[in-house]
């Protein structure tokens, strides 16, 4: 699974602009609010420096973004220098609007969600459930960026790049759901539709990524992995539909689908085995260290299953059914079933756990003081 790289940043001085604003706009002594300024400063440092675990990093980012939302309501006119390095080009871009800081922090949250999802053990049902949720939560954060921050100053926040990342993340969520359905032994007809959906999403991504080629934005290993998965899930959809056709007595259709599944599996395995041989993990920090060997082994096992199934179906057709084999092109297309939708940011921030993580407004005391002064 692919996770999204994180942005990096430099120190930010929140204290001076807030002190100036308090003195100029509210006629208060800014020295009275030293503790609050220090608390906000620390809140940002904790959030952007990262933490021991991805879950801790997630909570620190949740808290800082929540405080930014509250701060923006109170100091909408404030200007602070926010320096962020682009996650893909590493170019330093500094802007003074809170909107830029918020979009950058949301990108960090999305990146952290993707890392949590990608690191789950999917051989465990709970791990599958967590991976599915966090991929969808990641897609939700990215969708919110695209809907609310329209003038992207950096490549990583541009509409095209964010849209591409959303599509990768939702394809991976669909893949996780496919694994859940096979683990739970759902019907072959349903599994084939979900595989067909994943195949369609990965195939679209292999087309979309061509727009970015030559620009040096995305890791080339991502591109190869997307190509392998497009063929792999195309093969899986034909294989499971073949099993369903066999069960319903369409033995000729099933054999043709098994033949197609085998062809696609061999093609995918060829690409996966060369990918596995050439993969160097430190060149692709957003892929697992064993990405090369694991995808190659998975495709090898799938190829064996397809070869065996086609051979078995051929024998049975020769000896028992003598079904006429239709042309593959004449078989009905396999329907697709969409299973992964983004989790909206309001759904995440509306939970009591996240509200507790954010805590009360750091500048709550000032709000009371200023309201008292106005009355």
């Amino acid at each position: 699974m692919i996770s999204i790289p994180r942005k990096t940043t430099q120190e930010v001085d929140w204290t001076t602009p807030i002190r100036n604003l308090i003195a100029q706009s509210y006629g208060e002594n800014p020295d009275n609010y030293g503790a609050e300024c220090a608390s906000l400063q620390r809140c940002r440092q904790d959030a952007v420096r990262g933490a021991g675990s991805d879950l801790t990093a997630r909570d620190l980012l949740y808290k800082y973004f929540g405080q930014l939302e509250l701060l923006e309501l109170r100091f909408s006119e404030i200007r602070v220098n926010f320096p962020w390095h682009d996650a893909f080009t590493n170019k330093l871009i500094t802007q003074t609007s809170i909107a830029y800081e918020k979009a950058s922090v949301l990108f960090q949250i999305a990146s952290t969600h993707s890392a949590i999802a990608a690191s789950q053990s999917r051989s465990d049902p709970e791990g599958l459930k967590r991976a599915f949720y966090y991929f969808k939560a990641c897609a939700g954060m990215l969708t919110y960026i695209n809907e609310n921050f329209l003038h992207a100053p950096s490549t990583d926040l541009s509409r095209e790049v964010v849209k591409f990342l959303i599509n990768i993340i939702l394809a991976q969520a669909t893949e996780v759901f496919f694994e859940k359905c096979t683990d739970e032994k759902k019907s072959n007809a349903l599994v084939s539709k979900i595989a067909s959906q994943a195949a369609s999403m990965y195939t679209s991504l292999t087309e979309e990524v061509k727009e970015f080629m030559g620009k040096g934005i995305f890791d080339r290993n991502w591109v190869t992995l997307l190509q392998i998965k497009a063929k792999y899930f195309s093969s899986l959809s034909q294989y499971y539909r073949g099993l369903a056709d066999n069960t319903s007595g369409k033995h000729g259709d099933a054999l043709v689908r098994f033949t197609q599944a085998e062809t696609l599996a061999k093609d995918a395995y060829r690409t996966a085995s060369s990918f596995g041989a050439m993969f160097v993990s430190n060149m692709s920090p957003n892929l697992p260290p064993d990405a090369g060997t694991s995808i190659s082994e998975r495709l090898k096992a799938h190829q064996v299953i397809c070869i065996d199934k086609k051979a078995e179906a051929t024998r049975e057709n020769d000896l028992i059914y003598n079904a006429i084999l239709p042309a593959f092109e004449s078989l009905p297309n396999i329907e697709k079933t969409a299973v992964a939708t983004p989790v909206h940011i309001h759904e995440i921030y509306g939970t009591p756990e996240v509200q507790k993580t954010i805590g009360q407004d750091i500048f709550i005391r000032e709000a009371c003081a200023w309201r008292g002064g106005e009355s």
Side-chain angles (χ1 to χ4, degrees):
M1 293 290 182
I2 292 167
S3 63
I4 297 169
R6 286 179 173 85
K7 294 169 77 68
T8 55
T9 185
Q10 296 168 6
E11 288 295 323
V12 161
D13 174 20
W14 270 114
T15 304
T16 307
I18 290 176
R19 283 176 61 89
N20 292 342
L21 203 61
I22 289 171
Q24 289 162 16
S25 300
Y26 300 99
E28 284 263 331
N29 181 353
D31 291 345
N32 295 344
Y33 302 107
E36 284 83 354
C37 289
S39 184
L40 177 64
Q41 198 75 37
R42 196 163 54 250
C43 186
R44 184 187 197 272
Q45 287 170 345
D46 290 346
V48 301
R49 282 177 182 169
S53 77
D54 286 327
L55 287 171
T56 307
R58 174 205 67 181
D59 286 349
L60 292 169
L61 285 161
Y62 279 173
K63 178 174 182 175
Y64 180 53
F65 183 79
Q67 290 296 334
L68 275 178
E69 292 266 80
L70 295 166
L71 195 80
E72 190 178 31
L73 294 172
R74 183 148 299 136
F75 300 125
S76 58
E77 70 274 39
I78 198 164
R79 290 288 173 262
V80 179
N81 286 326
F82 298 114
W84 286 92
H85 290 271
D86 190 291
F88 297 103
T89 67
N90 203 35
K91 185 180 173 188
L92 177 64
I93 292 152
T94 301
Q95 297 234 320
T96 59
S97 74
I98 289 186
Y100 178 53
E101 177 82 341
K102 283 169 65 181
S104 298
V105 171
L106 282 174
F107 190 94
Q108 297 297 79
I109 295 174
S111 168
T112 304
H113 282 164
S114 74
I116 295 169
S119 65
Q120 296 302 314
S121 167
R122 301 198 310 278
S123 55
D124 161 42
E126 285 304 308
L128 270 175
K129 193 188 293 183
R130 278 192 297 272
F132 187 56
Y133 172 77
Y134 278 106
F135 276 135
K136 293 192 302 169
C138 169
M141 292 292 168
L142 293 170
T143 301
Y144 190 78
I145 290 173
N146 257 5
E147 288 173 353
N148 292 276
F149 303 98
L150 304 179
H151 305 290
S154 55
T155 299
D156 54 6
L157 297 175
S158 70
R159 294 183 75 75
E160 302 75 27
V161 167
V162 172
K163 179 174 171 284
F164 184 72
L165 294 175
I166 291 167
N167 291 341
I168 286 182
I169 294 300
L170 289 178
Q172 293 186 151
T174 303
E175 179 175 348
V176 171
F177 196 82
F178 169 86
E179 293 172 350
K180 181 174 181 287
C181 288
T182 53
D183 281 2
E184 293 172 358
K185 309 235 176 329
K186 298 292 187 193
S187 76
N188 293 322
L190 174 64
V191 171
S192 75
K193 288 177 185 177
I194 296 164
S196 178
Q197 175 72 15
S200 170
M201 295 174 91
Y202 280 122
T203 303
S204 295
L205 284 162
T206 62
E207 287 301 308
E208 278 177 56
V209 81
K210 288 175 184 170
E211 294 173 34
F212 301 105
M213 295 312 287
K215 295 180 183 174
I217 300 172
F218 296 119
D219 179 351
R220 293 193 73 84
N221 283 330
W222 288 20
V223 180
T224 311
L225 195 58
L226 296 171
Q227 290 167 342
I228 292 167
K229 288 190 175 186
K231 288 171 186 165
Y232 175 45
F233 279 94
S234 297
S235 172
L236 283 165
S237 66
Q238 295 298 335
Y239 174 78
Y240 280 97
R241 179 58 186 268
L243 294 177
D245 285 348
N246 231 357
T247 304
S248 59
K250 298 175 184 169
H251 303 294
D253 290 14
L255 177 49
V256 172
R257 290 197 188 278
F258 292 142
T259 304
Q260 181 69 6
E262 181 194 72
T263 303
L264 288 162
K266 285 179 174 175
D267 197 6
Y269 176 57
R270 269 194 300 275
T271 312
S273 53
S274 60
F275 175 73
M278 292 165 61
F279 182 75
V280 180
S281 64
N282 61 4
M283 301 291 285
S284 296
N286 291 91
L287 286 171
D290 65 345
T293 50
S294 67
I295 195 81
S296 177
E297 284 166 9
R298 192 196 297 194
L299 268 294
K300 185 178 184 180
H302 174 63
Q303 177 184 261
V304 169
I305 289 167
C306 289
I307 290 168
D308 289 353
K309 195 68 197 173
K310 181 197 154 191
E312 180 192 329
T314 303
R315 273 196 311 275
E316 288 181 347
N317 198 48
D318 289 347
L319 294 170
I320 307 165
Y321 306 119
N322 297 311
I324 295 165
L325 303 185
F328 174 71
E329 293 71 25
S330 70
L331 293 177
N333 288 331
I334 300 169
E335 289 174 32
K336 299 189 282 287
T337 299
V339 292
T341 52
V343 177
H344 198 279
I345 186 172
H346 294 155
E347 203 176 314
I348 295 166
Y349 269 83
T351 62
E353 305 86 65
V354 175
Q355 286 300 311
K356 189 177 171 190
T357 299
I358 296 167
Q360 72 172 12
D361 182 350
I362 288 173
F363 287 89
I364 189 81
R365 192 166 61 89
E366 288 85 329
C368 298
W370 298 331
R371 272 202 301 274
E374 288 161 4
S375 60

